[in-house]
Amino acid sequence: SQTIHQWPATLVQPVGSPLSLECTVEGTSNPNLYWYRQAAGRGLQLLFYSVGIGQISSEVPQNLSASRPQDRQFILSSKKLLLSDSGFYLCAWAQDSYEQYFGPGTRLTVT
Amino acid sequence: RKEVEQDPGPFNVPEGATVAFNCTYSNSASQSFFWYRQDCRKEPKLLMSVYSSGNEDGRFTAQLNRASQYISLLIRDSKLSDSATYLCVVTNPESGSARQLTFGSGTQLTVLP
């Protein structure tokens, strides 16, 4: 069966510091991968998606970037965090359908 | 107009009650629809897909009205464990192989003892 991992689970970072969040999927090949952000009390905002290794599409302009160095690895990064980057970051995968399955998320607080 | 609109609630209902959530979507070309459940401070989890003919999974019934661009979720005999936020989700038909989803902001349900 497929599983999806995210780490770290929680993170507190100062403004201006770098960020690296990691997501890995097991038990599937060539999945679509997605990064979402959910601000407190808000809906899910799609940040990036990837349909294959090295293929990244951005949905919103921001100071974040994403990379997919391996088939089942998806990384979200920032060189300099802003206060507005605080939120709940969720990685999801999908395989040959629209049904997406989410990882446990990373709760980021920028101070 | 939001792409997917839901009543945010909160809905506070007693155990055993029947509760219904509604959702409207703006893109008439959307083809697939889902309900996700999100517990407090947790990730969303797929609850059920919504089929044109309507579908039922135990105490949960989902209905789709394409003409009105309207989706509903009915929960019968509510349990305390049903307390969560319910997200209405619609596919983005223009997303091609990316298979993007558009999420509503969710309806919060609290089932009271």
Side-chain angles (χ1 to χ4, degrees):
Chain A
S1 64
Q2 299 87 0
T3 55
I4 178 169
H5 306 277
Q6 284 187 248
W7 63 91
T10 60
L11 194 57
V12 180
Q13 293 282 97
V15 168
S17 64
L19 174 74
S20 181
L21 303 181
E22 191 162 342
C23 169
T24 59
V25 182
E26 295 176 0
T28 185
S29 294
N30 197 31
N32 280 7
L33 296 173
Y34 307 85
W35 277 112
Y36 291 88
R37 176 170 60 205
Q38 187 174 37
R42 305 283 295 276
L44 272 73
Q45 179 188 31
L46 179 63
L47 301 175
F48 300 94
Y49 66 88
S50 172
V51 299
I53 296 175
Q55 300 178 63
I56 308 293
S57 296
S58 173
E59 283 298 295
V60 291
Q62 64 227 319
N63 66 322
L64 300 172
S65 62
S67 63
R68 185 171 177 174
Q70 299 180 46
D71 181 42
R72 288 168 286 181
Q73 184 185 29
F74 205 20
I75 297 171
L76 183 70
S77 304
S78 175
K79 292 182 179 177
K80 287 187 178 182
L81 284 169
L82 307 172
L83 283 175
S84 58
D85 291 324
S86 293
F88 190 34
Y89 287 82
L90 291 155
C91 180
W93 69 273
Q95 181 89 64
D96 299 327
S97 78
Y98 277 97
E99 295 177 357
Q100 291 184 19
Y101 299 92
F102 288 84
T106 295
R107 198 160 297 278
L108 172 66
T109 303
V110 182
T111 60
Chain B
R1 182 184 173 188
K2 286 184 182 177
E3 293 179 73
V4 180
E5 291 205 59
Q6 294 184 250
D7 181 344
F11 283 61
N12 298 319
V13 303
E15 261 187 297
T18 295
V19 61
F21 305 135
N22 304 318
C23 166
T24 56
Y25 60 95
S26 61
N27 192 333
S28 60
S30 295
Q31 291 294 318
S32 299
F33 310 89
F34 307 96
W35 284 100
Y36 277 70
R37 169 198 169 123
Q38 186 173 22
D39 292 298
C40 187
R41 300 179 70 81
K42 297 286 189 179
E43 75 274 24
K45 293 185 177 178
L46 180 63
L47 179 65
M48 58 196 302
S49 301
V50 185
Y51 302 121
S52 296
S53 54
N55 49 298
E56 190 174 304
D57 182 1
R59 297 181 293 107
F60 298 83
T61 300
Q63 300 241 312
L64 168 65
N65 183 323
R66 286 189 185 272
S68 301
Q69 293 177 212
Y70 170 96
I71 305 161
S72 66
L73 177 68
L74 184 78
I75 305 176
R76 290 182 301 279
D77 188 24
S78 300
K79 311 289 185 192
L80 295 176
S81 57
D82 294 333
S83 297
T85 297
Y86 290 83
L87 307 176
C88 177
V89 183
V90 173
T91 57
N92 178 350
E94 286 85 32
S95 62
S97 61
R99 301 193 194 94
Q100 291 178 27
L101 300 177
T102 301
F103 288 77
S105 297
T107 298
Q108 186 181 343
L109 170 68
T110 301
V111 180
L112 305 168

